[in-house]
Amino acid sequence: MTAHRTTGHGRSAPVNGKGLLLTAAALCTVILTVTGILVAVLPEPEQEGHLLPGLARAQGIELGVAVAIDPLAHDRRYRGIVEDHYTSVTAENGMKWEHVQPERGEYDWDGPDAIVDFATENDLNVRGHTMLWHNQKPDWLAHGDWDAESLSAVVHDHVTTVMERYRGRISAWDVINEPLEDGGPQMRRNLWYEVLGPDYIAQTLYSAHAADPDAKLYINEFGIESAGPKADALYDLVSDLVERGVPVHGIGFQSHFVHGNVSADLADQMRRYTDLGLEVAVTELDVRIPEPVTDEDLREQRGEYRDVLTACVEVEGCVNVTVWGVTDAHSWIPEWFPGTDAALPFDTAYRPKPALSGMVDALSRRGRHRPDKA
């Protein structure tokens, strides 16, 4: 059988079977070559996360992660995830009072130094976490016999000592952590409130500002991501501080969400504070899923991570989104919320989950904008 090809003058000329086979083989070679080039250029899903640091910086946002000291020191894969996917780090526990000053006047700098040195070596920013919190206090502090004068001196000394040590190396601090009750708008009756009164917040912020005038000082809280009494109570507290000229620079939205209940008005809540001239950050992001965790849950979680980061992109003045943990293998969620799991963008085998792609999607959006106001 003879095939035909068209000559340059439009006439048909015979082509034998051997020539046709050679032509087909050449075409296949071209197709395979082009396909190979495309595969090499287009990122695999596992590689997509490596785009995150560049995308975050292009948006003017720090993309952070909470790190634990032991795996950071001894687990190469754990360190690799941090180095390849994030632009800032927060100490998950290592800078809390019980670890930094376990005995009165005796400071242990090994953990905090390791985190700050790691960040410096890898060109990462550091968020400090946290100064005053009702949990994780050393026994000598939690059970001491304090009056206002003695406790005020202890708080001032701790804040000053820690912040001066890392002055210029830690860009922002969660100075006041969870000042409101868990489920309501009342001030938390913690040690600081009971002994020093409600103005302990302003006093501590003044001490922190004196220790490091360049650090951004935050009040960090959960349950304020949606409109409600607690969100309003924090806004009123912060508005008063701003009006009085107290050195507060930012509000941290902890954002420990449950799958299916991610706030739809997070951006609106953020804008309340940016309208006061403050910056905002999502400081402790995770989205825990009730067990058993299905593939459909993980696909939906992808959209939830995307939506949280999109809220930050859309709000001028949102400067950081920090994921609260590197992998599900080191997550606090199963211990504190039994029956839930899979809250982070990397699974227990350190494999990326769909949530990571959701973060890429959000940071790939067109640049920031503020909605027109009526």
Side-chain angles (χ1 to χ4, degrees), residues 248-302:
V248 57
H249 308 112
I251 301 302
F253 290 71
Q254 290 188 14
S255 300
H256 296 296
F257 290 120
V258 180
H259 173 52
N261 293 279
V262 173
S263 171
D265 63 340
L266 176 60
D268 291 337
Q269 295 304 313
M270 289 177 168
R271 289 191 186 98
R272 301 175 80 186
Y273 296 103
T274 59
D275 286 346
L276 292 176
L278 305 178
E279 62 185 38
V280 294
V282 176
T283 52
E284 304 183 24
L285 175 61
D286 46 45
V287 182
R288 61 185 182 271
I289 301 175
E291 296 176 313
V293 178
T294 67
D295 289 343
E296 180 63 21
D297 290 331
L298 296 178
R299 286 191 292 270
E300 292 171 352
Q301 186 191 56
R302 177 189 190 279

Side-chain angles (χ1 to χ4, degrees), residues 330-372:
H330 297 277
S331 173
W332 70 300
I333 291 296
E335 178 181 356
W336 284 83
F337 299 98
T340 65
D341 203 352
L344 300 173
F346 289 84
D347 68 15
T348 55
Y350 295 43
R351 294 176 303 229
K353 291 154 58 180
L356 201 71
S357 294
M359 295 164 67
V360 171
D361 286 351
L363 294 173
S364 299
R365 290 168 58 92
R366 189 176 300 175
R368 295 174 158 208
H369 67 280
R370 290 179 66 98
D372 294 334

Side-chain angles (χ1 to χ4, degrees), residues 169-231:
R169 302 186 72 191
I170 293 182
S171 59
W173 275 95
D174 295 329
V175 179
I176 307 296
N177 201 50
E178 300 174 8
L180 302 181
E181 293 289 348
D182 287 355
Q186 297 81 16
M187 289 284 290
R188 188 184 296 276
R189 267 51 178 179
N190 54 28
L191 172 65
W192 335 109
Y193 183 94
E194 294 290 352
V195 177
L196 302 177
D199 214 38
Y200 81 88
I201 294 173
Q203 293 174 23
T204 308
L205 288 166
Y206 278 119
S207 293
H209 186 61
D212 187 351
D214 294 325
K216 300 291 187 179
L217 309 181
Y218 273 68
I219 297 175
N220 193 45
E221 186 58 274
F222 72 92
I224 60 169
E225 292 82 8
S226 296
K230 187 171 183 178

Side-chain angles (χ1 to χ4, degrees), residues 53-183:
L55 291 172
R57 291 187 177 108
Q59 294 282 11
I61 295 171
E62 292 288 348
L63 186 63
V65 64
V67 295
I69 293 168
D70 186 67
L72 192 68
H74 301 110
D75 189 332
R76 179 182 56 80
R77 292 184 302 161
Y78 184 100
R79 287 197 308 274
I81 289 175
V82 178
E83 293 166 0
D84 292 342
H85 298 87
Y86 297 100
T87 69
S88 76
V89 293
T90 299
E92 189 171 1
N93 284 294
M95 292 184 182
K96 292 172 182 172
W97 200 316
E98 71 173 357
H99 297 291
V100 175
Q101 195 183 171
E103 301 295 336
R104 186 171 183 177
E106 297 180 9
Y107 289 84
D108 183 350
W109 302 114
D110 289 348
D113 280 356
I115 291 172
V116 174
D117 289 346
F118 169 83
T120 300
E121 292 165 4
N122 290 281
D123 194 28
L124 303 171
N125 284 336
V126 184
R127 285 186 57 87
H129 179 82
T130 178
M131 287 298 177
L132 297 195
W133 190 31
H134 61 280
N135 282 331
Q136 293 187 262
K137 301 186 299 294
D139 286 343
W140 68 266
L141 177 62
H143 304 297
D145 183 16
W146 306 107
D147 58 23
E149 182 179 1
S150 60
L151 184 60
S152 179
V154 164
V155 170
H156 177 78
D157 287 348
H158 180 83
V159 170
T160 300
T161 300
V162 176
M163 291 194 63
E164 285 187 345
R165 181 176 183 86
Y166 299 109
R167 184 171 177 169
R169 302 186 72 191
I170 293 182
S171 59
W173 275 95
D174 295 329
V175 179
I176 307 296
N177 201 50
E178 300 174 8
L180 302 181
E181 293 289 348
D182 287 355

